[in-house]
Amino acid sequence: MYQRFFGLRELPFELTPNPKFLFLTPRHREALSNLHYGVGSAKSLTVLVGEAGTGKTTLLRTVFESEQCSHVRWVYLNNPILTRDDFVKTLAARFELGPEAAQSKATFLAELERVLLERRSRGEVTALVVDEAQSLSNDLLEEIRLLANIETPTDKLLLLILAGQPEFGAKLNDPGLRQFKQRVALRCEIFPFELAETGAYIASRVRTAGGESSRLFTREAVMAIHQYSRGIPRTINVICDNALLGGLALERPLIDQEIVMDVVRDFDLQRNEPDRPIAEADDADMQAPEPPHESPEPVDDPPSSRALVEQIARPRRFTFFGAARR
């Protein structure tokens, strides 16, 4: 049965973030290293900024499940649109505090400090991770800043990691949040893919699924995918997934620019106008940033549609970069 290996539907694979199967650009690798460093060195507040769909949550989950962070107890909040009271109740539940802590902020803070001290005495580190931080109100940002004050004379008892879209980074320039911004010990940022990174990303995912990208996408198709996705991994996934499905329906094993443009029109992505016509892109733009990456050039004798489907649908154990956002 055909599996959409550019999405999460009907996949038999183990979807646990595994660095072995992550596609990391140099900027993503730097951000991942900074996150590890922030946890390992007990930085009080780390900020991760990136456009929607660029893989912030995947990086966070990779850190969660890494061996070097096995001593860390994570509290993960991915829906921070809350009132102050709801915020306290949510954290009380996530930190497994008593029912009284959810009813009183003073009790919550006392119970939280007690729990954090007990964990630290056992050699455990506790971290609060807030995803979609651009949705946080100024009131909640102030509450989070005050949580950073829970400390001993030598150690921070609660590490804070906030991940959000670029508007969150801009929000921190608000004069009313200057005390919060002063608390930021580490700040890292990830960006959409460059053209060569998009080609390498597609090749990596196809190769991991057991196929060959040169037998799936023409050079022009890859360039169109990049320009109309704006290099956003999540959008690249959607375009590739639907282009493969369209190619299967048309019994065309090689995905060309025409099929990609059909998907672009179906998803109303024409507004992502390319900076220059696809045919005018330089050959150097398609050079992969680091070997070994497959070239997206087509081959003269592509396999049959059915043989291709059987090849890429072979069950494997791997994780897709950016898939955790779905």
Side-chain angles (χ1 to χ4, degrees):
M1 182 177 61
Y2 173 67
Q3 304 295 339
R4 299 187 182 188
F5 65 91
F6 276 97
L8 285 181
R9 295 176 290 268
E10 301 180 1
L11 285 173
F13 315 114
E14 180 183 7
L15 294 176
T16 301
N18 185 334
K20 180 179 179 181
F21 299 118
L22 286 176
F23 179 84
L24 297 174
T25 69
R27 289 165 295 189
H28 285 80
R29 186 175 293 109
E30 179 182 1
L32 184 60
S33 297
N34 283 336
L35 290 172
H36 278 300
Y37 172 72
V39 175
S41 58
K43 296 297 184 182
S44 60
L45 179 55
T46 300
V47 169
L48 172 62
V49 176
E51 187 58 71
T54 51
K56 298 184 298 298
T57 303
T58 298
L59 290 182
L60 291 174
R61 293 189 181 278
T62 301
V63 174
F64 296 168
E65 302 191 16
S66 64
E67 184 177 349
Q68 55 264 53
C69 292
S70 59
H71 65 294
V72 181
R73 297 278 296 272
W74 303 93
V75 173
Y76 180 62
L77 181 62
N78 61 353
N79 185 12
I81 306 178
L82 302 167
T83 65
R84 281 189 170 186
D85 288 343
D86 288 339
F87 183 69
V88 170
K89 292 178 181 178
T90 300
L91 290 189
R94 300 287 174 87
F95 281 104
E96 300 178 351
L97 306 181
E100 297 82 4
Q103 307 302 321
S104 167
K105 183 177 178 181
T107 304
F108 165 76
L109 292 174
E111 281 288 300
L112 179 59
E113 184 169 1
R114 179 186 62 79
V115 168
L116 295 178
L117 283 169
E118 288 180 356
R119 291 181 180 178
R120 182 55 60 91
S121 69
R122 298 194 298 265
E124 296 178 351
V125 174
T126 305
L128 171 62
V129 180
V130 181
D131 207 348
E132 304 294 343
Q134 73 278 355
S135 301
L136 287 166
S137 66
N138 285 12
D139 288 343
L140 287 191
L141 284 172
E142 179 63 12
E143 292 292 335
I144 291 173
R145 182 186 72 84
L146 294 175
L147 290 177
N149 291 334
I150 304 177
E151 57 187 3
T152 69
T154 57
D155 296 309
K156 294 289 184 182
L157 294 179
L158 180 63
L159 308 185
L160 301 171
I161 301 176
L162 275 67
Q165 296 173 20
E167 51 265 37
F168 174 60
K171 186 175 186 177
L172 295 182
N173 294 324
D174 186 332
L177 295 174
R178 63 186 181 279
Q179 288 182 296
F180 184 93
K181 188 175 182 179
Q182 291 170 0
R183 289 277 187 176
V184 177
L186 277 177
R187 175 167 172 163
C188 39
E189 188 167 1
I190 54 178
F191 301 90
F193 293 158
E194 301 291 344
L195 174 57
E197 292 169 344
T198 297
Y201 171 66
I202 294 172
S204 174
R205 290 187 61 157
V206 172
R207 184 170 55 248
T208 304
E212 297 181 37
S213 64
S214 60
R215 295 173 179 266
L216 282 178
F217 297 94
T218 68
R219 178 178 185 275
E220 291 73 22
V222 171
M223 295 169 71
I225 291 167
H226 171 75
Q227 290 182 320
Y228 286 97
S229 68
R230 290 297 188 187
I232 301 294
R234 185 188 300 161
T235 308
I236 294 172
N237 296 346
V238 170
I239 296 176
C240 289
D241 185 18
N242 285 273
L244 287 171
L245 193 60
L248 180 67
L250 296 171
E251 295 188 351
R252 291 166 60 180
L254 192 62
I255 305 303
D256 57 19
Q257 182 180 336
E258 179 185 357
I259 296 176
V260 170
M261 294 307 298
D262 284 342
V263 175
V264 167
R265 285 187 288 270
D266 289 343
F267 283 84
D268 194 22
L269 297 176
Q270 294 97 321
R271 297 176 186 178
N272 292 349
E273 289 294 337
D275 297 328
R276 52 180 168 161
I278 294 172
E280 294 181 7
D282 298 329
D283 288 341
D285 291 342
M286 286 299 294
Q287 296 300 315
E290 54 183 285
H293 287 305
E294 297 174 355
S295 168
E297 295 287 350
V299 294
D300 294 331
D301 185 24
S304 68
S305 176
R306 180 56 53 191
L308 178 64
V309 169
E310 292 175 353
Q311 179 185 31
I312 66 178
R314 196 178 307 141
R316 303 279 176 126
R317 293 164 61 88
F318 66 101
T319 293
F320 301 136
F321 182 81
R325 293 286 301 174
R326 289 178 175 264

